[in-house]
Each structure stands twice: as structure tokens, then as C-alpha cells.
């Protein structure tokens, strides 16, 4: 599990000692940062409508409470979605979770949402069901969710104070009436919190998503974190507002900016520190689209267009999937054993080491990693579309963020030539002490060095490489340069 900045606790502190919870998160890529290196999710876009209006949303696009703004998913019927799930399950065997996250609000479209889940639950017993909602209608569907064995529910809670809420939500539609202003936010908040409490009472694992909107709810989100933790939420995912005029949203058109990666990390750190909410924080969200397919950092949706599954008879290879998962688990066990031998902590109490108490060293540096997954530094610097940002230090390798960049190299013809892309990548990594990648060209190597970021060519386990390079850099650097990044 991702996420701790405090010295003693982590993204999965007390709750993961419960074996039942450890089991639930073990192969869920969003609820466990470690699992997201190995397991994939898929979404099916079966829920078009929404019952509220967020100022960061334009209905032409997917729900921005769970998705990257500005992308539009193709809508499916439950039957088509079911066929797609079976096809993806046989092609991408590490796909372990089906999420319904839009493109509107799943619970504003209960029929297609639950029909899809019923079909999948019937024929695909090893797929976890996951749901993401704005929460307005959550209390009325809690029993249905429990009956379907939906084990993971995400509720987007951007405020608990209607005064803050009225700057985010212009209106809601509830029980056939439209509400505006503070009254709208009051109803929304009450419903969200009541739904959360009812779910956690039934031992359904809940994650809360919050969109960080600087100047509107950024300070307030620590209080949100504290409140949802009190109601039993397992994980808090603070995501950055992504706001551009071309998205046509209220915030985009009025110039409301999103946070920088550094501002986002600072808020996430506050939420989990002792003087904040001491909440488990998710650090590896990719704000994926409502029809996303694949590992969190990738989107293989183009391989599964409707013509590949519509009207086809598709079987379900349960035995083949189980075998693939067993292989993944064997590799994870090996990686965990290496960590243990080298005495490296990822800051998490993992299911395989539930009793370990992670202790963050006093001095750490940030290290960026280029990876295609599987726990290994295995990507060329120029091929990376994102970097994973780790805290590295003696015996410490903790994932704290992922950052998108423009792929620098798109093949031999334009590799190492786009200086502006390289400049932007270096700016994005400016607070990192080193970049770990399997290969790097001369141009970017020199540019990184000039910016004071050490390029390290390496092909090894991420945790091992981050801890080793981090330990060396902490020792090499002057005391004034290290500390909490
Ligand atoms: Fe999908 Fe969401 Fe379930 Fe994950 S996504 S419904 S909990 S299976 Fe994950 Fe994607 Fe972030 Fe969501 S990375 S946007 S948190
Ligand atoms: Fe848009 Fe999602 Fe908000 Fe509905 S809940 S208005 S779909 S961002």
C-alpha cells in the first residue's frame, strides 16, 4: 500500500493487520501501491448520466471525480460490457478488478451499473467488483452493493462544509428536485457521509477521492481526511484538479488553476502526518478514463474496440487466469524476500509482512524511476510517459507520487531531438536527486547532470536500486540539502 510520510505508520497501517483486509487489497491495483506493479484494472463505461454538477466537469467528457478530464469514453450496454470483460480477462490475465466509474455517475444509472455487475459476478468469480460514485444516492444502494459482493467502493468527497461546497457544486438533483447553493452541498455531504458509514459498517472497503482545488478546498481537505477516517474509510486519494480552458468547464473558463505536483505531495503528506489526519493516502492514482484497460500507468483500450467483442461468443479461461496469478505471486514472493534480505522497507505493512513497522530514515532524497512494471527498473528514459517518484534512503524505498511527462523519444527519427519536451521533463523532476532508468541517451544525460539530477543506468529491482542509490546520495550530499523533500 502506498503512502506514508510519517515516520512510523504507512498507507496501510492498522487495518491491514486484519487478514481479511489484506486479502482484499492484495491484488487490487488502486488499494495497494505494491499490487499496482503487477495487476491491472479495467473500467466499462455503462453509466452516462449524472445527478450533480461539479465546476470541474463538462458533461461532454468522463466524470472528472475519477477520470482524467478531457477524455471521452465509448458507452456500452451491460451485455457488451460483459463480453468486453471476458475478452480482456483472457487477453490480459493480470486484470484483477472491474471498476464502474462513469462516464457519469454509476449510481445515477443503477440499472446498467448493477446489471453489468450481476453478469460479471455470475461468470467471472475471480474478478473483484469496484464502484466509484459521487455518493448522492449511495445510502439507498448500500444493501444492493453488499448483496453483489462489491468489495471496494470509492466516494468522491471534495468537502464536508457546504460553504466550501457551494464553490464546487452549483446544483444537484435529488428525489426529483433541483437544489442549488449551500442547500445542495449540505444534502450531498450528508448523503456521502451516511453512505460511507453504512458501507464501512458492512465491512466494505471504502476509498475517498478528493479533487484538490487550490484556494477553495486545499486547506479543508485535511479536515475531510480526518472525518472520513473517523467513519472508517480505508484510503484517501487526493487528486489534482486538471483544469484547462479547452475542457470548457467552469473552473477551466474562469482560470482556476490546479496544484503543482509539489503542492499535491505537501497536502498528501499533511493528511497522513501525526498533526494532520493520520490517514492512509493513495499516491499512485492515474485519474484513468471510464473505459481504461490495463496496468494503471497504461491504457490498452484501443486493443478492445467494440468490433472485437460485440456479438461474439467469448469463453472465460478461469484456469489460465489462476495460473497467471500464481506466477505473479511467485515473483512477488521473490521480490519480497529480496527486500527482507536487504532490510528494505517500502513504508507499507504488506500482506506478506503485516507486522513490520516501517521506520522512515531521518534523511531521504527523491528518486525518479522509469519502469514498465513488475517491480523492476526496466524502461529507457526517453520512452517513459511517466516517472514514479520514490523516497530513497538507507533501507527505504517508498513510492510517493507518479508524474506524467511527454514521451521524449518516439523512435529513432525524433529521439533526443525535442529539446522543449526534455526541458519540461527536467522541470517536472527538478526536486529529484536522481533518475533511474534502463538506458539514457547522451543529450538527456548531460541535461540532467546540468540540472543537478544524477542519471543512473540500471536494470534491477526498483526497491533495491532506490534504497541503494538513495543511501549513497544521502551520504554524499551536504546535510543542509537533505531532509524531508
Ligand atoms: Fe477503477 Fe477506481 Fe476501482 Fe481503481 S480506478 S473504480 S478504485 S478500479 Fe484507481 Fe484509476 Fe485512480 Fe480510480 S487509478 S482513477 S483510483
Ligand atoms: Fe461530472 Fe462526475 Fe461531477 Fe457528475 S460527479 S458532474 S460526471 S465530475
Amino acid at each position: 500500500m502506498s503512502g506514508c510520510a510519517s515516520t512510523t505508520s504507512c498507507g496501510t497501517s492498522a487495518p491491514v493487520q486484519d487478514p481479511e483486509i489484506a486479502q482484499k487489497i492484495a491484488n487490487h491495483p488502486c488499494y495497494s501501491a505494491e499490487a499496482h506493479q503487477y495487476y491491472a484494472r479495467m473500467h466499462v463505461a455503462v453509466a452516462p448520466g449524472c445527478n450533480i454538477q461539479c465546476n470541474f466537469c463538462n458533461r461532454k467528457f468522463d466524470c472528472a471525480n475519477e477520470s482524467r478530464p478531457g477524455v471521452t469514453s465509448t458507452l456500452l450496454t451491460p451485455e457488451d460490457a460483459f463480453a468486453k470483460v471476458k475478452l480482456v480477462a483472457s487477453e490480459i490475465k493480470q486484470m484483477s478488478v472491474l471498476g464502474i466509474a462513469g462516464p457519469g455517475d454509476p449510481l445515477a444509472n443503477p440499472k446498467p451499473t448493477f446489471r453489468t455487475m450481476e453478469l460479471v459476478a455470475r461468470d467471472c468469480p475471480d474478478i473483484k467488483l469496484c464502484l466509484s460514485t459521487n455518493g448522492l444516492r449511495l445510502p439507498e444502494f448500500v444493501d444492493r452493493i453488499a448483496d453483489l459482493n462489491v468489495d471496494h467502493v470509492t466516494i468522491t468527497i471534495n468537502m464536508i462544509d457546504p460553504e466550501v461546497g457551494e464553490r464546487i457544486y452549483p446544483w444537484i438533483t435529488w428525489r426529483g428536485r433541483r437544489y442549488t447553493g449551500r442547500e445542495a452541498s449540505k444534502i450531498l455531504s450528508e448523503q456521502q457521509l451516511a453512505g460511507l458509514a453504512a458501507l464501512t459498517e458492512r465491512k466494505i472497503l471504502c476509498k475517498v477521492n478528493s479533487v484538490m482545488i487550490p484556494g477553495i478546498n486545499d486547506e479543508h481537505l485535511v479536515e475531510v481526511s480526518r472525518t472520513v477516517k473517523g467513519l472508517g474509510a480505508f484510503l484517501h486519494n487526493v487528486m489534482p484538479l486538471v483544469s484547462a480552458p479547452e475542457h470548457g468547464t467552469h473552473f477551466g473558463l474562469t482560470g482556476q488553476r490546479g496544484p503543482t505536483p509539489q503542492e499535491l505531495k505537501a497536502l498528501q503528506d499533511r493528511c497522513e502526518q501525526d498533526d494532520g489526519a493520520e490517514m492512509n493516502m493513495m499516491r499512485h492514482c492515474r485519474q484513468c478514463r471510464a473505459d481504461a484497460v490495463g496496468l494503471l500507468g497504461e491504457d490498452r483500450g484501443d486493443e478492445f474496440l467494440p468490433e472485437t467483442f460485440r456479438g461474439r461468443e467469448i469463453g472465460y479461461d478461469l484456469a489460465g487466469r489462476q495460473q497467471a496469478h500464481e506466477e505473479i505471486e511467485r515473483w512477488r514472493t521473490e521480490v519480497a524476500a529480496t527486500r527482507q534480505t536487504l532490510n528494505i522497507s517500502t513504508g507499507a505493512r504488506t500482506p506478506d509482512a503485516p507486522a513490520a513497522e516501517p521506520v522512515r530514515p531521518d534523511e531521504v532524497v527523491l528518486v525518479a524511476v522509469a519502469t514498465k512494471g513488475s517491480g523492476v527498473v526496466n524502461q529507457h528514459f526517453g520512452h517513459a510517459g511517466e516517472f514514479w517518484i520514490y523516497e530513497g534512503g538507507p533501507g527505504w524505498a517508498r513510492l510517493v507520487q507518479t508524474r506524467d511527462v511527454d514521451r521524449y523519444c518516439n523512435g529513432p527519427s525524433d529521439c533526443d531531438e525535442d529539446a522543449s519536451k526534455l526541458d519540461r521533463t527536467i522541470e517536472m523532476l527538478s526536486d529529484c536527486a536522481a533518475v533511474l532508468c534502463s538506458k539514457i541517451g547522451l543529450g538527456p544525460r548531460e541535461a540532467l547532470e546540468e540540472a543537478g539530477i544524477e542519471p543512473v543506468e540500471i536494470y534491477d529491482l526498483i526497491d533495491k536500486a532506490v534504497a541503494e542509490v538513495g543511501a549513497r546520495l544521502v551520504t554524499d550530499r551536504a546535510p543542509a540539502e537533505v531532509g524531508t523533500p
Side-chain angles (χ1 to χ4, degrees):
M1 174 64 29
S2 88
C4 49
S6 63
T7 52
T8 55
S9 67
C10 65
T12 52
S13 52
V16 89
Q17 296 203 35
D18 178 339
E20 204 182 314
I21 292 179
Q23 182 62 31
K24 281 184 185 175
I25 66 167
N27 68 351
H28 194 306
C30 303
Y31 283 68
S32 161
E34 202 254 335
H36 107 286
Q37 305 188 34
Y38 308 99
Y39 288 101
R41 54 72 183 102
M42 74 175 289
H43 290 166
V44 284
V46 294
C50 190
N51 45 11
I52 68 174
Q53 179 63 56
C54 305
N55 277 333
F56 44 73
C57 180
N58 175 344
R59 297 303 172 77
K60 281 193 292 189
F61 303 123
D62 291 357
C63 174
N65 277 327
E66 177 84 5
S67 313
R68 189 177 300 266
V71 298
T72 315
S73 299
T74 309
L75 206 62
L76 298 177
T77 63
E79 286 69 27
D80 284 343
F82 177 45
K84 184 175 181 180
V85 169
K86 287 193 287 183
L87 180 63
V88 172
S90 56
E91 302 278 319
I92 306 179
K93 293 199 167 51
Q94 75 265 43
M95 187 276 285
S96 55
V97 178
L98 168 68
I100 299 186
D105 183 69
L107 297 184
N109 306 264
K111 275 193 185 150
T113 295
F114 290 122
R115 176 69 186 145
T116 305
M117 290 190 153
E118 275 162 13
L119 291 170
V120 174
R122 189 191 68 195
D123 283 14
C124 315
D126 61 333
I127 292 183
K128 285 182 191 298
L129 297 176
C130 194
L131 186 72
S132 177
T133 175
N134 64 35
L136 182 62
R137 293 186 66 186
L138 187 52
E140 65 187 284
F141 292 117
V142 165
D143 289 337
R144 189 87 190 269
I145 289 169
D147 288 347
L148 271 167
N149 287 327
V150 178
D151 256 350
H152 300 79
V153 176
T154 295
I155 312 163
T156 298
I157 301 183
N158 294 318
M159 56 84 207
I160 50 168
D161 177 352
E163 256 185 72
V164 177
E166 69 178 343
R167 300 175 68 192
I168 303 173
Y169 304 103
W171 55 260
I172 65 165
T173 303
W174 193 54
R175 295 184 177 164
R177 247 191 83 188
R178 178 172 286 220
Y179 295 83
T180 58
R182 274 184 212 180
E183 194 183 9
S185 288
K186 183 169 179 291
I187 294 168
L188 178 61
S189 179
E190 284 169 359
Q191 291 292 104
Q192 290 172 332
L193 298 182
L196 170 61
L199 287 172
T200 59
E201 198 170 298
R202 285 167 175 75
K203 288 200 154 197
I204 293 169
L205 225 46
C206 291
K207 170 165 75 62
V208 168
N209 280 3
S210 300
V211 179
M212 176 181 178
I213 312 161
I216 292 187
N217 71 348
D218 45 350
E219 290 299 317
H220 180 58
L221 285 179
V222 178
E223 190 53 36
V224 170
S225 210
R226 197 175 283 121
T227 301
V228 300
K229 182 184 177 181
L231 291 172
F234 175 72
L235 194 60
H236 192 188
N237 174 24
V238 177
M239 311 183 300
L241 171 72
V242 180
S243 167
E246 61 268 27
H247 296 159
T249 65
H250 174 78
F251 283 156
L253 295 171
T254 54
Q256 171 64 51
R257 74 172 180 94
T260 63
Q262 289 76 16
E263 286 171 332
L264 178 67
K265 180 175 182 299
L267 176 60
Q268 291 169 331
D269 287 351
R270 276 184 61 204
C271 288
E272 80 188 348
Q273 277 161 358
D274 302 347
D275 55 350
E278 288 190 272
M279 183 58 178
N280 303 324
M281 301 303 292
M282 179 180 184
R283 305 283 194 146
H284 60 284
C285 176
R286 306 302 206 285
Q287 290 173 278
C288 27
R289 43 192 294 163
D291 60 1
V293 174
L295 292 169
L296 292 195
E298 66 181 8
D299 192 355
R300 297 176 57 182
D302 287 351
E303 296 170 40
F304 303 95
L305 298 175
E307 53 269 28
T308 63
F309 54 82
R310 210 167 255 163
R312 272 184 59 197
E313 205 40 61
I314 299 168
Y316 193 71
D317 180 13
L318 183 59
R321 286 176 51 77
Q322 283 170 337
Q323 195 184 342
H325 288 209
E326 278 162 21
E327 275 161 30
I328 291 172
E329 290 308 312
R330 265 197 295 279
W331 174 240
R332 283 177 86 181
T333 307
E334 270 184 51
V335 175
T338 305
R339 268 200 306 267
Q340 202 167 5
T341 307
L342 299 174
N343 213 8
I344 296 169
S345 171
T346 61
R349 285 183 185 137
T350 57
D352 45 282
E357 186 71 34
V359 180
R360 183 176 182 264
D362 291 339
E363 295 178 347
V364 295
V365 291
L366 292 185
V367 176
V369 173
T371 177
K372 291 181 278 185
S374 299
V376 179
V377 184
N378 55 8
Q379 195 170 40
H380 190 300
F381 177 83
H383 296 169
E386 63 176 27
F387 285 90
W388 296 14
I389 311 298
Y390 280 76
E391 287 177 352
W396 189 255
R398 187 178 79 119
L399 179 66
V400 290
Q401 207 165 50
T402 62
R403 294 182 192 165
D404 288 347
V405 294
D406 273 340
R407 210 176 300 271
Y408 174 63
C409 169
N410 288 307
S413 56
D414 70 347
C415 194
D416 286 12
E417 280 174 15
D418 190 336
S420 63
K421 274 191 194 170
L422 180 59
D423 287 348
R424 284 198 299 274
T425 298
I426 290 177
E427 173 61 30
M428 189 63 108
L429 305 179
S430 59
D431 52 353
C432 296
V435 176
L436 312 187
C437 52
S438 62
K439 206 118 196 73
I440 184 166
L442 188 61
R445 169 182 287 279
E446 287 176 350
L448 281 169
E449 282 169 348
E450 200 159 303
I453 305 168
E454 181 181 326
V456 180
E457 263 187 22
I458 192 167
Y459 194 101
D460 206 340
L461 292 182
I462 295 174
D463 299 335
K464 177 170 174 277
V466 167
E468 285 174 359
V469 170
R472 173 171 60 74
L473 289 170
V474 162
T475 312
D476 286 356
R477 297 176 110 197
E481 291 179 82
V482 295
T484 303

